[in-house]
């Protein structure tokens, strides 16, 4: 219901209008009356009515002056003038003041009713329009993040490779749409940053799609929070494990200032990585491109940032890599698969643990930047040799060692050369231990119990069999023979089992992060721990933690 204030120096007119009008039918409520313009002004400021019905000629302050003053204080209030004079000058003033009605006295109730009904409809129409505009603004505010993300993708793929929308090959048209969304891309220097979840295919890729989508959105939120107030940026999810961030900065030519800017960007990227490590419990690699002042070069920056991320293969992930950190030229040494097979057979059947490490080091030299294809080829050849040995020995041996997930699937998903080195070392030692059990008998229950006690007490820092049996003053191979005879498993297998069972218990604690579990159970890299845990349990650490959280 709308409100009205009646202003008239004639008490009879005030009372008559108040009593004779059917206000309920109009949907209007009389909130007060005033005896002249001054009184009307003061009451209007206090009551803030939707409509003021006022006489023109009054003592102290007339209706015209009151209206001028109130239109400044109450711009939304509507006015209807009343007057005994059919004078054009009054009509002109009413028009100039944009008054909504003009009624001659004596008042005809029907005419006044029509004027008031017209004003009421005007107010309602304005309110409806305001509501529509508010809804449109709300809808626009809600869609802005989605539109901005889409336009960022269009800019990054503006060369047509994987482009989005009709304007995917026209950076100028995309920039114009960005401007409409409040993104000022003019006269800027641009960089592209890629944030990639490490070991996604191995640890998370088989999980629930909705869960994985939420994970990359978490990463996006923490990146945005870290950059907020530091650098102007816009982000876009490219896939369930990749996030692109477009950085905007004022153009700069001073070499010293450019160096400081690059340092700041790298420090912020490092802060993003550490926050996500801590808050989300996952490892990420961040690649940072060089800069350009041309929008049509953004696809090149995207390619540079993604190439930077890929260089983690030659070292480790979970770090920040600049595209300017060029790797050394790739080495393509040839190798003989037949010769490699003989070496693997010799080490596994006759060698010790240190021989396994030596063979791995011979073929995977960290200081020599082999190509990804070359390294994978060596790894496949080694795995093929191991499986050949197991097939010759026991048709069930392969299932005994590889458990649920296939070794080939695990090898394909490993992302760095260091992960491959560690994984292959573990597999070779497992096969070597299996062979020892198959070739020899065992004895001495006391030694078995001592070994179990050592592992139970120190699994968090033990890494291999030699460390485990060092205090017993017997060789690792002899200890393994005895342990296998009495338990049916190698010392290394028991150590892994003890580590994995401890990890399962730690993962039940909601306050312990996955990387902390890896550290507490003696694993230096999250990826290696995740691979072993999934091989042991059939699920990733995150899946196990989620399923057992309730």
């Amino acid at each position: 219901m709308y409100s009205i204030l009646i202003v008239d120096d004639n008490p009879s007119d005030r009372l008559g209008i108040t009593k004779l009008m059917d206000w309920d039918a109009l949907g209007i409520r009389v909130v007060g009356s005033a005896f002249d313009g001054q009184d009307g002004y003061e009451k209007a400021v206090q009551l803030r009515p939707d409509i003021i019905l006022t006489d023109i000629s009054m003592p102290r302050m007339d209706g015209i002056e009151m209206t001028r003053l109130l239109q400044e204080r109450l711009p939304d209030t509507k006015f209807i003038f009343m007057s005994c004079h059919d004078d054009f000058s009054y009509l002109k003033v009413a028009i100039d003041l944009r008054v909504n009605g003009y009624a001659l006295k004596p008042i005809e109730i029907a005419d006044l009713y029509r004027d008031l009904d017209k004003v009421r409809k005007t107010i309602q129409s304005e309110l409806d329009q305001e509501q529509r505009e508010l809804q449109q603004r709300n809808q626009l505010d809600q869609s802005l993040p989605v539109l901005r993300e889409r336009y960022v993708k269009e800019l990054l793929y503006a060369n047509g490779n994987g482009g989005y929308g009709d304007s995917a090959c026209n950076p100028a048209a995309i920039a114009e749409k960005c401007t409409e969304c409040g993104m000022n891309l003019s006269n800027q220097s641009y960089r592209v940053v890629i944030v990639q979840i490490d070991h996604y295919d191995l640890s998370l890729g088989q999980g629930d799609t909705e869960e994985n989508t939420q994970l990359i959105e978490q990463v996006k939120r923490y990146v945005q929070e870290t950059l907020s107030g530091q650098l102007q940026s816009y982000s876009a999810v490219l896939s369930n494990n990749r996030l692109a961030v477009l950085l905007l900065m004022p153009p700069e030519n001073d070499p010293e200032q450019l160096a400081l800017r690059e340092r700041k960007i790298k420090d912020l990227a490092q802060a993003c990585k550490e926050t996500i490590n801590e808050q989300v419990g996952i490892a990420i690699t961040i690649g940072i491109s060089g800069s350009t002042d041309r929008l049509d070069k953004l696809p090149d920056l995207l390619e540079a940032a993604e190439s930077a991320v890929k260089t983690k293969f030659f070292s480790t992930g979970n770090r920040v890599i600049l595209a300017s950190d060029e790797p050394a030229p790739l080495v393509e040494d040839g190798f003989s698969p037949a010769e490699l097979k003989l070496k693997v057979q010799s080490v596994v059947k006759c060698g010790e643990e240190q021989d396994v490490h030596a063979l791995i080091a011979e073929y995977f030299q960290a200081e020599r930047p082999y190509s990804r294809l070359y390294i994978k080829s060596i790894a496949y050849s080694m795995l093929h040799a191991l499986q050949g040995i197991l097939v010759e020995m026991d048709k069930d041996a392969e299932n005994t060692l590889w458990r649920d997930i296939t070794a080939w699937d695990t090898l394909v998903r490993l992302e760095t050369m260091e992960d491959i080195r560690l994984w292959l070392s573990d597999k070779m030692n497992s096969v070597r231990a299996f062979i020892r059990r198959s070739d020899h008998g065992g004895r001495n229950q006391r030694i078995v119990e001592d070994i179990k006690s050592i592992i139970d007490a120190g699994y968090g820092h033990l890494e291999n069999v030699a460390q485990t049996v060092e205090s017993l003053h017997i060789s690792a191979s002899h200890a393994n023979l005895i342990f296998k005879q009495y338990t049916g498993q190698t010392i290394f297998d028991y150590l892994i089992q003890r580590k994995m069972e401890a990890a399962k218990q730690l993962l039940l604690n909601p306050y312990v992060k996955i990387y902390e579990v890896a550290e507490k159970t003696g694993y230096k890299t999250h990826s290696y721990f995740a691979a072993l845990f999934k091989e042991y349990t059939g699920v990733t650490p995150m899946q196990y933690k989620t399923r057992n959280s309730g």
Side-chain angles (χ1 to χ4, degrees), residues 23-303:
W23 297 107
D24 289 337
L26 283 167
I28 298 174
R29 178 172 57 92
V30 178
V31 293
S33 62
F35 53 81
D36 62 21
Q38 182 64 40
D39 187 36
Y41 175 82
E42 293 171 358
K43 288 182 177 177
V45 171
Q46 178 186 0
L47 299 172
R48 306 183 72 82
D50 297 306
I51 307 168
I52 294 178
L53 177 62
T54 180
D55 192 13
I56 293 179
S57 299
M58 294 180 290
R60 290 208 300 170
M61 181 186 293
D62 62 25
I64 294 173
E65 182 62 21
M66 181 195 72
T67 299
R68 286 197 180 100
L69 294 174
L70 286 176
Q71 283 182 335
E72 295 180 1
R73 294 289 298 271
L74 306 173
D76 294 329
T77 297
K78 309 302 180 187
F79 294 85
I80 298 177
F81 278 179
M82 300 182 294
S83 176
C84 298
H85 306 285
D86 188 5
D87 189 322
F88 178 74
S89 62
Y90 285 156
L91 289 172
K92 185 177 184 304
V93 170
I95 293 171
D96 291 342
L97 292 175
R98 298 186 303 280
V99 171
N100 298 84
Y102 191 99
L104 286 172
K105 291 183 177 183
I107 298 297
E108 290 289 338
I109 295 301
D111 292 341
L112 182 58
Y113 187 97
R114 282 193 297 271
D115 286 343
L116 288 168
D117 188 52
K118 181 180 177 182
V119 171
R120 180 187 62 80
K121 290 178 179 178
T122 298
I123 296 173
Q124 185 61 52
S125 176
E126 291 176 354
L127 290 175
D128 291 343
Q129 179 63 25
E130 288 179 3
Q131 185 63 32
R132 286 192 294 270
E133 291 176 355
L134 178 61
Q135 290 176 348
Q136 290 174 352
R137 286 196 297 270
N138 289 338
Q139 290 173 354
L140 181 60
D141 289 343
Q142 292 173 3
S143 62
L144 269 181
V146 177
L147 289 173
R148 287 173 175 173
E149 183 163 343
R150 176 183 177 86
Y151 296 153
V152 168
K153 289 179 182 179
E154 289 186 4
L155 286 169
L156 294 177
Y157 293 102
N159 57 6
N161 296 327
Y164 294 77
D166 296 335
S167 58
C169 297
N170 190 341
I174 302 170
E176 185 175 340
K177 292 191 295 184
C178 290
T179 301
E180 294 172 358
C181 289
M183 302 167 65
N184 181 16
L185 304 184
S186 301
N187 301 319
Q188 300 283 350
S189 175
Y190 314 101
R191 283 180 187 254
V192 174
V193 176
I194 290 294
V195 181
Q196 179 173 292
I197 299 175
D198 289 343
H199 317 295
Y200 176 82
D201 288 339
L202 183 63
S203 303
L204 304 166
Q206 301 301 311
D208 180 74
T209 302
E210 182 178 353
E211 176 185 327
N212 294 342
T213 300
Q214 292 173 352
L215 184 64
I216 192 64
E217 288 295 335
Q218 271 188 290
V219 171
K220 176 182 173 182
R221 176 164 59 85
Y222 282 116
V223 168
Q224 290 175 333
E225 289 178 358
T226 303
L227 296 180
S228 177
Q230 300 292 326
L231 288 174
Q232 185 181 359
S233 64
Y234 299 100
S235 56
V237 173
L238 303 183
S239 65
N240 278 351
N241 71 322
R242 287 162 58 245
L243 174 73
V245 183
L246 176 61
L247 300 181
L248 280 66
M249 295 150 288
E252 179 61 67
N253 295 317
D254 185 346
E256 184 176 344
Q257 292 300 317
L258 287 172
L260 291 174
R261 174 179 289 179
E262 185 161 296
R263 179 73 262 172
K264 178 180 180 180
I265 293 172
K266 190 168 184 179
D267 288 345
L268 285 171
Q270 182 69 22
C272 289
K273 183 191 77 68
E274 292 172 358
T275 298
I276 292 167
N277 290 164
E278 175 65 25
Q279 299 297 327
V280 187
I282 59 172
I284 61 169
T285 297
I286 299 178
I288 304 174
S289 76
S291 63
T292 183
D293 58 359
R294 292 175 52 183
L295 281 173
D296 61 342
K297 293 297 183 181
L298 291 186
D300 296 336
L301 297 191
L302 172 64
E303 182 178 352

Side-chain angles (χ1 to χ4, degrees), residues 320-392:
V320 176
I321 307 172
L322 297 178
S324 56
D325 298 336
E326 291 291 337
L330 297 179
V331 175
E332 292 289 355
D333 290 344
F335 75 95
S336 168
E339 180 182 342
L340 177 58
K341 179 180 179 180
L342 290 175
K343 289 183 178 180
V344 170
Q345 290 176 336
S346 175
V347 167
V348 170
K349 291 181 177 180
C350 307
E352 299 296 334
E353 188 171 333
Q354 60 268 26
D355 299 317
V356 171
H357 294 315
L359 179 62
I360 295 294
E362 176 185 349
Y363 280 88
F364 297 95
Q365 301 177 39
E367 66 276 7
R368 293 176 66 80
Y370 299 111
S371 72
R372 182 190 300 260
L373 178 61
Y374 178 79
I375 292 171
K376 291 278 187 176
S377 297
I378 293 176
Y380 294 148
S381 295
M382 287 185 170
L383 182 58
H384 186 268
L386 289 175
Q387 291 189 312
I389 294 170
L390 291 173
V391 168
E392 291 175 3

Side-chain angles (χ1 to χ4, degrees), residues 433-474:
F434 185 85
I435 292 173
R436 296 296 187 276
R437 191 263 278 181
S438 301
D439 290 343
H440 300 283
R443 51 194 180 276
N444 205 321
Q445 181 68 36
R446 176 64 183 274
I447 290 178
V448 172
E449 296 302 323
D450 286 344
I451 291 172
K452 285 185 175 182
S453 297
I454 291 170
I455 291 175
D456 291 344
Y459 63 85
H461 67 270
L462 294 173
E463 296 181 355
N464 52 54
V465 176
Q467 285 181 327
T468 305
V469 302
E470 183 178 6
S471 62
L472 300 180
H473 304 293
I474 58 175

